[in-house]
Amino acid sequence: MDKVLVKGEGAVIIGHFTQLVTRTGKKLSTLLVMHLRIQEGEVICLHLYEDTLEIARTFDMGARGPQ
């Protein structure tokens, strides 16, 4: 985690992760943002934002970017 922002029942987590995809041998490094809503100590809503195009490319899923 790079940064955690909290206000009331809301929180935003900003970070990045890097991992090796063994199926393709490619290294994936991408930004990650999570937006959470918390009530009574439990996460009741979570939105995840990530670079899905980069993930698809790393897994060789046939995704293409702008030509």
Side-chain angles (χ1 to χ4, degrees):
M1 280 183 285
D2 295 331
K3 190 171 282 200
V4 177
L5 308 166
V6 179
K7 183 173 182 181
E9 293 182 339
V12 175
I13 300 170
I14 303 169
H16 64 279
F17 67 87
T18 302
Q19 63 187 26
L20 178 65
V21 177
T22 54
R23 190 180 97 194
T24 62
K26 293 181 180 179
K27 183 175 156 183
L28 171 64
S29 184
T30 186
L31 176 68
L32 172 74
V33 177
M34 286 189 280
H35 177 225
L36 300 97
R37 199 167 85 192
I38 302 166
Q39 285 182 351
E40 299 177 9
E42 294 187 9
V43 175
I44 62 166
C45 184
L46 182 144
H47 292 118
L48 173 65
Y49 303 92
E50 60 188 1
D51 187 348
T52 53
L53 179 58
E54 185 60 29
I55 292 169
R57 287 179 177 154
T58 303
F59 279 87
D60 284 337
M61 298 173 77
R64 297 178 136 189
Q67 300 286 325

